[in-house]
Amino acid sequence: MDFTNDKSPVTQTVARQLQEMIRTGALKKDERLPSQRVLSEQLGVSRASLREALLTLETIGLVRTYPARGTFVTGAQTGKPAAMDQWRFEEQYSILDVFQSRLLIEAELCRLAAPHVTPEIADELRRATEEFEQAWRKEDLVTHVEADLTFHNIIAQTCPNAMLRRLHQSVRDLLNETQRVPIPNTEVGRMNASIKEHRAILEALTRQNANDAANAMREHIRNTALCAGVEI
């Protein structure tokens, strides 16, 4: 099974490179990034990959793009809540629409997947959970988000219902964005709770308890929605 998230390896690598430049001060807070043409040449990647990487960094609060002005470093740090940025899919669906859909889809994926979680799949989930936690402690937001997406995607791919898997795949960009958007707004206490919620989902899936797994997923999504300013 493909347990990777929705971003290409090149996009992930570029996002990590830029994040490291921000963390080390090579790119300073409030500094304007070079144009995408110049930056893509400097990093040796396509402009398409660079744009995707910048979208990831913007969603998790490390950069911000202003029309006609360019992209600037915000230098957001974990544990310091920030104002909620505009939901970039607003013209298609509200963030409430997406969280409500995610609650239904992911809870059912989790419920149906539970009886099919083998020890090997449980190990994959455990590794993603540990990386999710360790990356947060290191303030490596890019890896943190990748681990989160991987965790949820493993569950989706384990679900035996092919139609539900295809439905999830068709809206994955939207669902995944709701996992990235709350990051700048996440305090340390909330992230500690999110880590516990991941472990509760993992524990229920390891026991192959369908109802407990679905309930744990619902609680996690509701709490994530609250962090994004949405009550479901």
Side-chain angles (χ1 to χ4, degrees):
M1 289 184 184
D2 177 14
F3 290 156
T4 57
N5 64 56
D6 64 327
K7 299 295 183 183
S8 73
V10 173
T11 297
Q12 295 168 6
T13 299
V14 174
R16 285 197 190 94
Q17 282 181 290
L18 292 171
Q19 175 186 245
E20 190 61 21
M21 292 169 73
I22 293 169
R23 291 173 64 189
T24 60
L27 290 172
K28 295 178 173 55
K29 190 176 186 301
D30 299 326
E31 181 178 345
R32 184 179 183 273
L33 271 61
S35 70
Q36 289 189 11
R37 179 183 63 79
V38 171
L39 194 53
S40 64
E41 290 176 357
Q42 288 178 348
L43 297 173
V45 297
S46 70
R47 292 176 69 176
S49 294
L50 176 63
R51 280 194 295 271
E52 281 297 305
L54 289 173
L55 277 174
T56 295
L57 295 183
E58 183 162 17
T59 305
I60 63 178
L62 293 179
V63 301
R64 185 161 186 177
T65 300
Y66 299 91
R69 289 182 58 200
T71 301
F72 293 79
V73 175
T74 61
Q77 296 180 3
T78 56
K80 295 186 178 181
M84 195 72 187
D85 282 336
Q86 183 178 358
W87 169 248
R88 68 187 177 98
F89 293 103
E90 191 66 48
E91 292 184 2
Q92 295 174 271
Y93 308 101
S94 72
I95 192 170
L96 175 61
D97 289 344
V98 181
F99 265 114
Q100 287 175 335
S101 300
R102 186 178 164 196
L103 186 70
L104 291 170
I105 294 168
E106 290 204 52
E108 187 63 9
L109 284 167
C110 207
R111 187 183 73 81
L112 294 175
H116 301 273
V117 174
T118 63
E120 291 75 22
I121 292 173
D123 284 342
E124 293 280 350
L125 287 166
R126 190 171 295 105
R127 280 192 288 272
T129 300
E130 290 170 355
E131 187 171 42
F132 175 77
E133 180 174 355
Q134 291 167 7
W136 175 261
R137 306 299 183 204
K138 296 175 182 175
E139 297 189 359
D140 180 355
L141 300 184
V142 173
T143 300
H144 169 77
V145 170
E146 288 171 4
D148 190 23
L149 298 178
T150 297
F151 179 87
H152 287 266
N153 195 44
I154 292 170
I155 295 169
Q157 292 301 309
T158 304
C159 173
N161 185 311
M163 187 172 183
L164 193 54
R165 288 200 312 272
R166 184 171 183 178
L167 172 62
H168 174 265
Q169 184 69 27
S170 71
V171 295
R172 194 165 68 158
D173 284 350
L174 285 160
L175 303 188
N176 288 356
E177 191 71 1
T178 66
Q179 293 172 247
R180 298 186 184 99
V181 163
I183 294 296
N185 233 30
T186 302
E187 295 179 316
V188 172
R190 168 57 202 147
M191 184 49 63
N192 289 337
S194 183
I195 289 167
K196 290 180 181 178
E197 289 160 12
H198 272 229
R199 293 195 176 279
I201 296 167
L202 170 61
E203 192 272 336
L205 288 171
T206 301
R207 290 189 289 109
Q208 298 185 324
N209 189 309
N211 289 333
D212 284 358
N215 288 336
M217 180 62 80
R218 288 189 192 97
E219 180 181 5
H220 175 57
I221 293 171
R222 287 194 179 100
N223 289 337
T224 302
L226 286 174
C227 197
V230 178
E231 185 170 357
I232 55 175

